[in-house]
Amino acid sequence: MTTALLSVWDKTGIVSFARSLHELGISILSSGGTGKALAEAGIPFTEVSKYTGSPEMMDGRVKTLHPKIHGGLLGRRGVDDAVMAKHGIGGIDILCVNLYPFEMMAEKNLPLSELVEYIDIGGPAMIRAAAKNFKDVAVICDPSDYSLITDALAKGGISDAERLSLAKKAFSRTAAYDAAISNHLYGIDSLFPEVLTVQFRGGRPLRYGENPHQQAAVFGTIGIAGAIPIQGKPMSYNNYLDLNAAVGLLREFDDTACIIVKHNNPCGVATGRTLLDAYISARDVDPVSAYGSVIAMNREIGSDVAEAICSTFVEVVIAPSYSEDALRMMKVKENMRLLTLPAPHLADEIRSIDGGMLYMRTPPYREHWEVVSEREPTATELEAMRLAWRVCKHTKSNTIIFADKKETLGIGAGQMSRVDAAKIAIEKANKPLKGSVVASDAFLPFPDTLEVAADAGATALVQPGGSIRDAEVIEAANKRNMAMIFTGVRYFRH
């Protein structure tokens, strides 16, 4: 290797990298801001314009778009040598380029006339050329890879496997860059683009999918997708689904809370004065379903909670942190997965369907709670309704939630009939429902669900409202002296 071309927007580590290349006897081509940085550091280099014999033009728009640059990147050693010699093209063995920050500037809502100036042309062209010719050219588009190059060169050379790995990363970067530009331009005049391109990194194979005969992988490096256990077996496909559901509901709570999820539905939700109180209350909502569940908590797990968790079989636990004693105790359950709660990285929802996908955005939406019954809810009922309503949002439809102000009491989820959901919730309740409240994710089309809930002991109900029979349901509530609130927002979850 004799020649490297360095042209970067993000100059993190570039001077140190260039100095290492120079010390290894590699000649450097550079220009613009990168060249200025090298000059200030006293690192010898040749200006690209001097090398090509062509000046930079059009405010730098035309700089590296030249046969001596692209020929040096694309020329196949041992195949194109004669052509390169005929036209005075020297080989470029290392290309170090990162791109204009289009993604960052697009977030600043610049006028399009300004934003287009951050669409890099020469950079992606050089990256793609070098990546195509990866057998002869090492391409670096990420400063974190500088040490890979210098370490390899110090040991005698860059291996074929390393070259291919760098080429993959390069094409991935240009694909993401073009996707960002396309999505932004398509989205200028519409809520959703006509063409949507997405990219997820960090793909990892899983043992199997939802069932053992299915193949699966997880993609993503942040949030739940990027969560890796600090203890226990690797995460499974179903673990990720349940963990995502549990954490989504957990983030509804500021006070000390525990969420227990089984098969993508909460089976126990509770708040408490202490985390142990919250855990025991949530577990005892449905202890049978809590066996083999996913548990999410929003406070540090100490030894008392660890001991309680270890008394049963749990698949996954996630919390902001763990005490040293808790970690030591939980090691006994060597297969139990422990994870640290990541910062939220909420995004639009993407779901595949036959031939395409569904895409959903949930903007901030202000609920308008309105008392529609003759009787106002008490302060205790109102507090309980707020808890039940939070849980309702994260439970599969049709769903009915019975709760008091501290915990869920009965959960009926995923039923075709709302009345059946209520009956299941009542049947599964392990505590008396007298004085409880009820939440329904969608409006009640008939008074029957309210009547079933009232017969079980519920005294208040929260629902979206909006049925053509709202008046009948309100009349039934008044007959039972139930307080009822309409929220104006439906929370179907399929």
Side-chain angles (χ1 to χ4, degrees), residues 419-459:
V419 176
D420 287 344
K423 290 177 179 177
I424 289 171
I426 293 166
E427 182 182 341
K428 292 183 74 66
N430 286 316
K431 291 184 179 180
L433 297 178
K434 185 176 180 180
S436 64
V437 306
V438 179
S440 172
D441 61 325
F443 65 65
L444 304 184
F446 301 98
D448 48 5
T449 301
L450 180 145
E451 291 165 349
V452 168
D455 290 343
T459 61

Side-chain angles (χ1 to χ4, degrees), residues 317-337:
V317 179
I318 191 166
S321 57
Y322 304 81
S323 72
E324 291 184 9
D325 286 342
L327 288 173
R328 186 163 50 250
M329 294 174 67
M330 297 171 93
K331 280 184 179 178
V332 175
K333 297 283 187 175
E334 59 183 21
N335 288 332
M336 182 169 63
R337 304 156 179 89

Side-chain angles (χ1 to χ4, degrees), residues 194-318:
E194 180 184 346
V195 177
L196 179 69
T197 307
V198 296
Q199 184 182 86
F200 294 100
R201 298 169 182 253
R204 287 122 42 213
L206 302 172
R207 276 186 63 200
Y208 53 79
E210 204 161 6
N211 300 289
H213 67 282
Q214 296 168 312
Q215 299 171 330
V218 59
F219 293 84
T221 58
I222 56 177
I224 297 303
I228 304 294
I230 59 175
Q231 175 197 297
K233 297 192 298 186
M235 293 283 284
S236 72
Y237 183 94
N238 293 331
N239 289 157
Y240 276 112
L241 285 177
D242 287 344
L243 187 64
N244 188 61
V247 171
L249 176 50
L250 182 70
R251 288 177 176 146
E252 297 275 354
F253 294 87
D254 294 323
D255 42 356
T256 302
C258 174
I259 313 297
I260 303 179
V261 163
K262 189 74 169 287
H263 295 305
N264 230 223
N265 276 310
C267 60
V269 177
T271 60
R273 184 180 57 82
T274 67
L275 191 59
L276 181 61
D277 292 338
Y279 170 63
I280 291 174
S281 296
R283 181 194 64 193
D284 291 348
V285 171
D286 188 351
V288 173
S289 296
Y291 184 85
S293 62
V294 168
I295 299 173
M297 300 178 175
N298 60 0
R299 299 290 188 273
E300 179 175 274
I301 292 179
S303 57
D304 56 346
V305 177
E307 183 179 12
I309 290 173
C310 289
S311 68
T312 188
F313 170 55
V314 173
E315 286 273 5
V316 182
V317 179
I318 191 166

Side-chain angles (χ1 to χ4, degrees), residues 400-419:
I400 294 291
I401 308 293
F402 284 79
D404 62 23
K405 67 178 185 178
K406 291 293 186 181
E407 63 190 335
T408 54
L409 302 173
I411 298 174
Q415 299 304 305
M416 291 70 75
S417 160
R418 198 162 297 280
V419 176

